[in-house]
Structure formats: C-alpha cells, structure tokens
Amino acid sequence: MDDQVHWVRITAEHTTGTMALDGRDISSQVSGYDLRQRAGQPAELVLFLSPVVKDEFDGLARVAVGVSPDPGPAAAAFLSAIDAGELERNALARYDLLNGGPHEMTRAMLALLQDWASGRWQPEVSG
C-alpha cells in the first residue's frame, strides 16, 4: 500500500473550527478527530464522521477506525477532584437548581457537576 500523506488544515477556536483535506472543506462531515504525531513521523489523523454524512469516496485510502474513548476514567478523575463541602455550598447557592421537590439536593448537585464538567459554571473560590 502506498504511504502517501495528505495535506490537512485544521483551525479550531473554542468549540468550532474548520477542517480541509487536500484542499477540500470537510468540516460538515466530521464530528471530531484525534491528531497525534511521533518525532520523525508524519502526523496521524483519525476522523470521526458525522452521522449525517452521505458522501461518496472512490479511491485508495489508509483507514483508521475511531472508537470513542471510555468516559469512565475521565469521570472518575473529575469526581475525585471535587471537594464535597465546595459542592454542597455551590449547590445551595444555586437557587435556580433548588425547587423544593424530593431529592432536590441530589438533583442540584448532579446538575452542578454537569455544569462544571462542561465548563458552563465555575466553582466559587472560597477564601
């Protein structure tokens, strides 16, 4: 098999970006990618195709199948870094999460953890 490399251009800004392969914009066809490189080797790019892709390809290609990573280890690392007191204080301070219903504190803490994990809410810094 030919070891031909392809020209790739990736621009990323926050949660958006563009990707071109051999000068062709493929941004709308890609839902994610992994890019890695070892010293002295060409970069290796694994593309995760969008589920709405309905494109055709005809030709030879070196194919790498991307498998989504197991979220368990990342979730465990994230949760192990959480200070229980800080979580409780922040949950109680979020009136938008408290509704007086059953299990409201647990629901508020889970919602707060989701916000923290996604970067939508920053924990208060206690002095």
Side-chain angles (χ1 to χ4, degrees):
M1 166 126 353
D2 185 10
D3 280 344
Q4 178 183 3
V5 294
H6 297 271
W7 180 84
V8 177
R9 181 175 187 84
I10 300 170
T11 59
E13 184 174 336
H14 304 291
T15 59
T16 62
T18 60
M19 180 176 292
L21 180 62
D22 291 331
R24 179 177 170 218
D25 184 358
I26 60 169
S27 305
S28 64
Q29 300 168 356
V30 177
S31 64
Y33 63 90
D34 280 337
L35 181 63
R36 63 180 171 223
Q37 185 172 19
R38 291 194 171 106
Q41 299 290 322
E44 180 180 300
L45 177 64
V46 178
L47 301 176
F48 297 94
L49 297 180
S50 168
V52 297
V53 169
K54 294 187 181 353
D55 203 358
E56 294 183 14
F57 173 80
D58 184 18
L60 297 174
R62 176 170 288 165
V63 177
V65 176
V67 177
S68 296
D70 177 8
F78 170 75
L79 292 172
S80 69
I82 300 296
D83 176 272
E86 182 180 359
L87 176 61
E88 184 175 353
R89 281 188 301 280
N90 278 267
L92 288 170
R94 290 282 307 271
Y95 298 108
D96 60 317
L97 299 178
L98 301 173
N99 61 10
H103 315 291
E104 75 171 340
M105 187 63 167
T106 302
R107 270 197 316 277
M109 286 181 167
L110 289 171
L112 189 59
L113 288 169
Q114 290 172 357
D115 285 348
W116 286 356
S118 65
R120 290 189 303 252
W121 186 273
Q122 296 300 316
E124 293 178 3
V125 178
S126 53

mmCIF file with all atom_site columns, all heavy atoms in Angstrom, residues 99-115:
data_model
loop_
_atom_site.group_PDB
_atom_site.id
_atom_site.type_symbol
_atom_site.label_atom_id
_atom_site.label_alt_id
_atom_site.label_comp_id
_atom_site.label_asym_id
_atom_site.label_entity_id
_atom_site.label_seq_id
_atom_site.pdbx_PDB_ins_code
_atom_site.Cartn_x
_atom_site.Cartn_y
_atom_site.Cartn_z
_atom_site.occupancy
_atom_site.B_iso_or_equiv
_atom_site.pdbx_formal_charge
_atom_site.auth_seq_id
_atom_site.auth_comp_id
_atom_site.auth_asym_id
_atom_site.auth_atom_id
_atom_site.pdbx_PDB_model_num
ATOM 1   N N   . ASN A 1 99  ? -35.751 23.370 43.870 1.00 0.00 ? 99  ASN A N   1
ATOM 2   C CA  . ASN A 1 99  ? -37.169 23.572 43.590 1.00 0.00 ? 99  ASN A CA  1
ATOM 3   C C   . ASN A 1 99  ? -38.082 23.053 44.691 1.00 0.00 ? 99  ASN A C   1
ATOM 4   O O   . ASN A 1 99  ? -39.295 23.041 44.529 1.00 0.00 ? 99  ASN A O   1
ATOM 5   C CB  . ASN A 1 99  ? -37.550 22.925 42.254 1.00 0.00 ? 99  ASN A CB  1
ATOM 6   C CG  . ASN A 1 99  ? -37.322 21.427 42.267 1.00 0.00 ? 99  ASN A CG  1
ATOM 7   O OD1 . ASN A 1 99  ? -37.059 20.819 43.302 1.00 0.00 ? 99  ASN A OD1 1
ATOM 8   N ND2 . ASN A 1 99  ? -37.412 20.820 41.099 1.00 0.00 ? 99  ASN A ND2 1
ATOM 9   N N   . GLY A 1 100 ? -37.549 22.570 45.798 1.00 0.00 ? 100 GLY A N   1
ATOM 10  C CA  . GLY A 1 100 ? -38.356 22.089 46.911 1.00 0.00 ? 100 GLY A CA  1
ATOM 11  C C   . GLY A 1 100 ? -38.905 20.694 46.726 1.00 0.00 ? 100 GLY A C   1
ATOM 12  O O   . GLY A 1 100 ? -39.615 20.200 47.585 1.00 0.00 ? 100 GLY A O   1
ATOM 13  N N   . GLY A 1 101 ? -38.609 20.054 45.634 1.00 0.00 ? 101 GLY A N   1
ATOM 14  C CA  . GLY A 1 101 ? -39.125 18.705 45.377 1.00 0.00 ? 101 GLY A CA  1
ATOM 15  C C   . GLY A 1 101 ? -38.283 17.630 46.046 1.00 0.00 ? 101 GLY A C   1
ATOM 16  O O   . GLY A 1 101 ? -37.251 17.910 46.657 1.00 0.00 ? 101 GLY A O   1
ATOM 17  N N   . PRO A 1 102 ? -38.748 16.391 45.942 1.00 0.00 ? 102 PRO A N   1
ATOM 18  C CA  . PRO A 1 102 ? -37.990 15.287 46.523 1.00 0.00 ? 102 PRO A CA  1
ATOM 19  C C   . PRO A 1 102 ? -36.590 15.192 45.895 1.00 0.00 ? 102 PRO A C   1
ATOM 20  O O   . PRO A 1 102 ? -36.432 15.412 44.697 1.00 0.00 ? 102 PRO A O   1
ATOM 21  C CB  . PRO A 1 102 ? -38.809 14.038 46.168 1.00 0.00 ? 102 PRO A CB  1
ATOM 22  C CG  . PRO A 1 102 ? -40.088 14.503 45.593 1.00 0.00 ? 102 PRO A CG  1
ATOM 23  C CD  . PRO A 1 102 ? -39.943 15.954 45.260 1.00 0.00 ? 102 PRO A CD  1
ATOM 24  N N   . HIS A 1 103 ? -35.628 14.907 46.716 1.00 0.00 ? 103 HIS A N   1
ATOM 25  C CA  . HIS A 1 103 ? -34.233 14.703 46.280 1.00 0.00 ? 103 HIS A CA  1
ATOM 26  C C   . HIS A 1 103 ? -33.645 15.944 45.613 1.00 0.00 ? 103 HIS A C   1
ATOM 27  O O   . HIS A 1 103 ? -32.757 15.845 44.767 1.00 0.00 ? 103 HIS A O   1
ATOM 28  C CB  . HIS A 1 103 ? -34.109 13.500 45.340 1.00 0.00 ? 103 HIS A CB  1
ATOM 29  C CG  . HIS A 1 103 ? -34.841 12.289 45.794 1.00 0.00 ? 103 HIS A CG  1
ATOM 30  N ND1 . HIS A 1 103 ? -34.461 11.567 46.897 1.00 0.00 ? 103 HIS A ND1 1
ATOM 31  C CD2 . HIS A 1 103 ? -35.954 11.686 45.316 1.00 0.00 ? 103 HIS A CD2 1
ATOM 32  C CE1 . HIS A 1 103 ? -35.305 10.567 47.075 1.00 0.00 ? 103 HIS A CE1 1
ATOM 33  N NE2 . HIS A 1 103 ? -36.227 10.608 46.139 1.00 0.00 ? 103 HIS A NE2 1
ATOM 34  N N   . GLU A 1 104 ? -34.135 17.132 45.992 1.00 0.00 ? 104 GLU A N   1
ATOM 35  C CA  . GLU A 1 104 ? -33.694 18.353 45.326 1.00 0.00 ? 104 GLU A CA  1
ATOM 36  C C   . GLU A 1 104 ? -32.194 18.584 45.475 1.00 0.00 ? 104 GLU A C   1
ATOM 37  O O   . GLU A 1 104 ? -31.546 19.049 44.545 1.00 0.00 ? 104 GLU A O   1
ATOM 38  C CB  . GLU A 1 104 ? -34.473 19.571 45.810 1.00 0.00 ? 104 GLU A CB  1
ATOM 39  C CG  . GLU A 1 104 ? -34.075 20.061 47.192 1.00 0.00 ? 104 GLU A CG  1
ATOM 40  C CD  . GLU A 1 104 ? -34.713 21.396 47.552 1.00 0.00 ? 104 GLU A CD  1
ATOM 41  O OE1 . GLU A 1 104 ? -35.150 22.127 46.662 1.00 0.00 ? 104 GLU A OE1 1
ATOM 42  O OE2 . GLU A 1 104 ? -34.761 21.698 48.744 1.00 0.00 ? 104 GLU A OE2 1
ATOM 43  N N   . MET A 1 105 ? -31.628 18.254 46.638 1.00 0.00 ? 105 MET A N   1
ATOM 44  C CA  . MET A 1 105 ? -30.191 18.495 46.835 1.00 0.00 ? 105 MET A CA  1
ATOM 45  C C   . MET A 1 105 ? -29.372 17.578 45.931 1.00 0.00 ? 105 MET A C   1
ATOM 46  O O   . MET A 1 105 ? -28.402 18.025 45.311 1.00 0.00 ? 105 MET A O   1
ATOM 47  C CB  . MET A 1 105 ? -29.820 18.286 48.311 1.00 0.00 ? 105 MET A CB  1
ATOM 48  C CG  . MET A 1 105 ? -28.407 18.674 48.614 1.00 0.00 ? 105 MET A CG  1
ATOM 49  S SD  . MET A 1 105 ? -28.147 20.452 48.313 1.00 0.00 ? 105 MET A SD  1
ATOM 50  C CE  . MET A 1 105 ? -26.591 20.664 49.119 1.00 0.00 ? 105 MET A CE  1
ATOM 51  N N   . THR A 1 106 ? -29.764 16.321 45.828 1.00 0.00 ? 106 THR A N   1
ATOM 52  C CA  . THR A 1 106 ? -29.045 15.394 44.945 1.00 0.00 ? 106 THR A CA  1
ATOM 53  C C   . THR A 1 106 ? -29.161 15.846 43.500 1.00 0.00 ? 106 THR A C   1
ATOM 54  O O   . THR A 1 106 ? -28.164 15.872 42.766 1.00 0.00 ? 106 THR A O   1
ATOM 55  C CB  . THR A 1 106 ? -29.592 13.965 45.095 1.00 0.00 ? 106 THR A CB  1
ATOM 56  O OG1 . THR A 1 106 ? -29.473 13.570 46.465 1.00 0.00 ? 106 THR A OG1 1
ATOM 57  C CG2 . THR A 1 106 ? -28.821 12.988 44.220 1.00 0.00 ? 106 THR A CG2 1
ATOM 58  N N   . ARG A 1 107 ? -30.369 16.216 43.078 1.00 0.00 ? 107 ARG A N   1
ATOM 59  C CA  . ARG A 1 107 ? -30.548 16.706 41.703 1.00 0.00 ? 107 ARG A CA  1
ATOM 60  C C   . ARG A 1 107 ? -29.736 17.972 41.464 1.00 0.00 ? 107 ARG A C   1
ATOM 61  O O   . ARG A 1 107 ? -29.125 18.147 40.411 1.00 0.00 ? 107 ARG A O   1
ATOM 62  C CB  . ARG A 1 107 ? -32.034 16.979 41.423 1.00 0.00 ? 107 ARG A CB  1
ATOM 63  C CG  . ARG A 1 107 ? -32.786 15.801 40.866 1.00 0.00 ? 107 ARG A CG  1
ATOM 64  C CD  . ARG A 1 107 ? -34.113 16.195 40.228 1.00 0.00 ? 107 ARG A CD  1
ATOM 65  N NE  . ARG A 1 107 ? -34.888 17.153 41.006 1.00 0.00 ? 107 ARG A NE  1
ATOM 66  C CZ  . ARG A 1 107 ? -35.682 16.843 42.015 1.00 0.00 ? 107 ARG A CZ  1
ATOM 67  N NH1 . ARG A 1 107 ? -35.804 15.604 42.386 1.00 0.00 ? 107 ARG A NH1 1
ATOM 68  N NH2 . ARG A 1 107 ? -36.350 17.784 42.662 1.00 0.00 ? 107 ARG A NH2 1
ATOM 69  N N   . ALA A 1 108 ? -29.715 18.879 42.434 1.00 0.00 ? 108 ALA A N   1
ATOM 70  C CA  . ALA A 1 108 ? -28.952 20.117 42.294 1.00 0.00 ? 108 ALA A CA  1
ATOM 71  C C   . ALA A 1 108 ? -27.461 19.823 42.170 1.00 0.00 ? 108 ALA A C   1
ATOM 72  O O   . ALA A 1 108 ? -26.766 20.411 41.339 1.00 0.00 ? 108 ALA A O   1
ATOM 73  C CB  . ALA A 1 108 ? -29.216 21.041 43.481 1.00 0.00 ? 108 ALA A CB  1
ATOM 74  N N   . MET A 1 109 ? -26.961 18.892 42.993 1.00 0.00 ? 109 MET A N   1
ATOM 75  C CA  . MET A 1 109 ? -25.528 18.552 42.923 1.00 0.00 ? 109 MET A CA  1
ATOM 76  C C   . MET A 1 109 ? -25.184 17.895 41.590 1.00 0.00 ? 109 MET A C   1
ATOM 77  O O   . MET A 1 109 ? -24.146 18.215 40.995 1.00 0.00 ? 109 MET A O   1
ATOM 78  C CB  . MET A 1 109 ? -25.149 17.642 44.086 1.00 0.00 ? 109 MET A CB  1
ATOM 79  C CG  . MET A 1 109 ? -25.078 18.354 45.412 1.00 0.00 ? 109 MET A CG  1
ATOM 80  S SD  . MET A 1 109 ? -24.600 17.195 46.707 1.00 0.00 ? 109 MET A SD  1
ATOM 81  C CE  . MET A 1 109 ? -24.199 18.314 48.033 1.00 0.00 ? 109 MET A CE  1
ATOM 82  N N   . LEU A 1 110 ? -26.031 16.993 41.108 1.00 0.00 ? 110 LEU A N   1
ATOM 83  C CA  . LEU A 1 110 ? -25.762 16.355 39.817 1.00 0.00 ? 110 LEU A CA  1
ATOM 84  C C   . LEU A 1 110 ? -25.784 17.381 38.681 1.00 0.00 ? 110 LEU A C   1
ATOM 85  O O   . LEU A 1 110 ? -24.925 17.352 37.795 1.00 0.00 ? 110 LEU A O   1
ATOM 86  C CB  . LEU A 1 110 ? -26.771 15.233 39.554 1.00 0.00 ? 110 LEU A CB  1
ATOM 87  C CG  . LEU A 1 110 ? -26.600 13.993 40.420 1.00 0.00 ? 110 LEU A CG  1
ATOM 88  C CD1 . LEU A 1 110 ? -27.783 13.039 40.228 1.00 0.00 ? 110 LEU A CD1 1
ATOM 89  C CD2 . LEU A 1 110 ? -25.291 13.288 40.117 1.00 0.00 ? 110 LEU A CD2 1
ATOM 90  N N   . ALA A 1 111 ? -26.746 18.299 38.713 1.00 0.00 ? 111 ALA A N   1
ATOM 91  C CA  . ALA A 1 111 ? -26.806 19.344 37.684 1.00 0.00 ? 111 ALA A CA  1
ATOM 92  C C   . ALA A 1 111 ? -25.576 20.238 37.758 1.00 0.00 ? 111 ALA A C   1
ATOM 93  O O   . ALA A 1 111 ? -25.003 20.623 36.732 1.00 0.00 ? 111 ALA A O   1
ATOM 94  C CB  . ALA A 1 111 ? -28.083 20.171 37.847 1.00 0.00 ? 111 ALA A CB  1
ATOM 95  N N   . LEU A 1 112 ? -25.146 20.559 38.977 1.00 0.00 ? 112 LEU A N   1
ATOM 96  C CA  . LEU A 1 112 ? -23.963 21.395 39.155 1.00 0.00 ? 112 LEU A CA  1
ATOM 97  C C   . LEU A 1 112 ? -22.711 20.687 38.636 1.00 0.00 ? 112 LEU A C   1
ATOM 98  O O   . LEU A 1 112 ? -21.878 21.293 37.953 1.00 0.00 ? 112 LEU A O   1
ATOM 99  C CB  . LEU A 1 112 ? -23.804 21.751 40.635 1.00 0.00 ? 112 LEU A CB  1
ATOM 100 C CG  . LEU A 1 112 ? -22.751 22.783 40.990 1.00 0.00 ? 112 LEU A CG  1
ATOM 101 C CD1 . LEU A 1 112 ? -23.021 24.102 40.278 1.00 0.00 ? 112 LEU A CD1 1
ATOM 102 C CD2 . LEU A 1 112 ? -22.731 23.004 42.485 1.00 0.00 ? 112 LEU A CD2 1
ATOM 103 N N   . LEU A 1 113 ? -22.582 19.401 38.928 1.00 0.00 ? 113 LEU A N   1
ATOM 104 C CA  . LEU A 1 113 ? -21.438 18.629 38.419 1.00 0.00 ? 113 LEU A CA  1
ATOM 105 C C   . LEU A 1 113 ? -21.435 18.600 36.890 1.00 0.00 ? 113 LEU A C   1
ATOM 106 O O   . LEU A 1 113 ? -20.381 18.714 36.264 1.00 0.00 ? 113 LEU A O   1
ATOM 107 C CB  . LEU A 1 113 ? -21.450 17.212 38.985 1.00 0.00 ? 113 LEU A CB  1
ATOM 108 C CG  . LEU A 1 113 ? -21.092 17.100 40.465 1.00 0.00 ? 113 LEU A CG  1
ATOM 109 C CD1 . LEU A 1 113 ? -21.397 15.700 40.985 1.00 0.00 ? 113 LEU A CD1 1
ATOM 110 C CD2 . LEU A 1 113 ? -19.637 17.464 40.715 1.00 0.00 ? 113 LEU A CD2 1
ATOM 111 N N   . GLN A 1 114 ? -22.607 18.466 36.285 1.00 0.00 ? 114 GLN A N   1
ATOM 112 C CA  . GLN A 1 114 ? -22.694 18.506 34.822 1.00 0.00 ? 114 GLN A CA  1
ATOM 113 C C   . GLN A 1 114 ? -22.256 19.868 34.294 1.00 0.00 ? 114 GLN A C   1
ATOM 114 O O   . GLN A 1 114 ? -21.517 19.945 33.302 1.00 0.00 ? 114 GLN A O   1
ATOM 115 C CB  . GLN A 1 114 ? -24.108 18.200 34.359 1.00 0.00 ? 114 GLN A CB  1
ATOM 116 C CG  . GLN A 1 114 ? -24.520 16.770 34.565 1.00 0.00 ? 114 GLN A CG  1
ATOM 117 C CD  . GLN A 1 114 ? -25.991 16.533 34.274 1.00 0.00 ? 114 GLN A CD  1
ATOM 118 O OE1 . GLN A 1 114 ? -26.744 17.458 33.971 1.00 0.00 ? 114 GLN A OE1 1
ATOM 119 N NE2 . GLN A 1 114 ? -26.401 15.288 34.380 1.00 0.00 ? 114 GLN A NE2 1
ATOM 120 N N   . ASP A 1 115 ? -22.690 20.936 34.958 1.00 0.00 ? 115 ASP A N   1
ATOM 121 C CA  . ASP A 1 115 ? -22.278 22.277 34.552 1.00 0.00 ? 115 ASP A CA  1
ATOM 122 C C   . ASP A 1 115 ? -20.768 22.445 34.669 1.00 0.00 ? 115 ASP A C   1
ATOM 123 O O   . ASP A 1 115 ? -20.117 22.991 33.783 1.00 0.00 ? 115 ASP A O   1
ATOM 124 C CB  . ASP A 1 115 ? -22.981 23.349 35.385 1.00 0.00 ? 115 ASP A CB  1
ATOM 125 C CG  . ASP A 1 115 ? -24.441 23.538 35.003 1.00 0.00 ? 115 ASP A CG  1
ATOM 126 O OD1 . ASP A 1 115 ? -24.867 23.008 33.956 1.00 0.00 ? 115 ASP A OD1 1
ATOM 127 O OD2 . ASP A 1 115 ? -25.147 24.241 35.747 1.00 0.00 ? 115 ASP A OD2 1
#
